Amino acid sequence: VREKLKGTEHAVSKAATALPKSGWLAIVRKAQTLVQQALAQNNHLQAYRHSRDLVWFTLTFTGCLRKNECIQLKRHHFKMEPEHNYFKIFIPTTKTSRNGVTLAIAKQLHSGIDVAAIVRNHFGIMRHLGLSPEANIIGRARSPSTPLKSADSVLTAFRKVYIPAVASEGIKLPADAIWSGHTFRRGGINAIRDAARAKGVSDAELQRVLLKYGRWKSPQTLEKYLVPTNPALATLAQRI
């Protein structure tokens, strides 16, 4: 799909469905439940697997991280900033900066999701498994000390584990959706756009904020990530 549409205005929008905030919340809460269940059974390897997925789902959405930005992160790239309501992540290499960038992410979301706690809990599981501080925070499910070369296994779990799990609870995501590595990044930037509009942020200021947060250089590229509100997805919010 991506190759066919390469160079067209639909290249991003058709290659990845933007995950709606309501669907993201359902996925995150299901992952949190699976982590707690694994810990209750003293199965720390299984807990790592779900916690790894949870961290990836959370950071790529709330931080609008690209998939390759997320899988390169290590514990020392995080600064939890105890005096502030945000924490910082240093991303060593990005698509638009070889020197890396520092991103601030809110610790607690209005939806009740505690992003900082999700990260801290994952670090605790990593320490319990004896992983080196230099280990990537997103490792292989069966061999956590081995870094992932791509996010394919996380996305496979998203499609085969988490989507069916939330569907069994009555929360169904679009059957014709194209879920890819950009799904969470697109969903996150659209959620930020919607929240900013609700607060009355002007269009000019909104574009500036979104470009900076998503680390895009071109307004034209940003526009490809933004989607209009989909009424068919709005019903998901009633179920959260």
Side-chain angles (χ1 to χ4, degrees), residues 55 80 107 114-127:
V55 166
M80 298 315 289
K107 291 180 179 178
D114 191 332
V115 179
I118 288 172
V119 172
R120 285 195 302 267
N121 291 342
H122 185 61
F123 290 175
I125 293 171
M126 291 179 69
R127 285 191 292 269

Side-chain angles (χ1 to χ4, degrees), residues 6 16 27 49 87-88 138-139 151 163 194 237:
K6 188 175 182 180
I27 295 293
R49 180 175 190 168
F87 63 92
K88 292 180 180 178
I138 309 293
I163 290 180
D194 294 344

Side-chain angles (χ1 to χ4, degrees), residues 173-238:
L173 296 173
D176 60 347
I178 301 173
W179 306 118
S180 81
H182 283 290
T183 285
F184 289 82
R185 178 167 161 80
R186 283 198 78 208
I189 204 66
N190 279 280
I192 294 170
R193 184 270 313 268
D194 294 344
R197 278 183 175 171
K199 284 185 171 289
V201 177
S202 68
D203 287 345
E205 177 66 7
L206 179 58
Q207 184 184 80
R208 186 190 70 80
V209 169
L210 296 181
L211 281 169
K212 183 177 180 180
Y213 196 74
R215 302 169 305 287
W216 289 286
K217 292 184 176 180
S218 162
Q220 289 75 25
T221 302
L222 168 63
E223 285 302 315
K224 294 175 185 177
Y225 277 78
L226 299 177
V227 295
T229 301
N230 186 340
L233 298 178
T235 56
L236 286 170
Q238 299 172 354

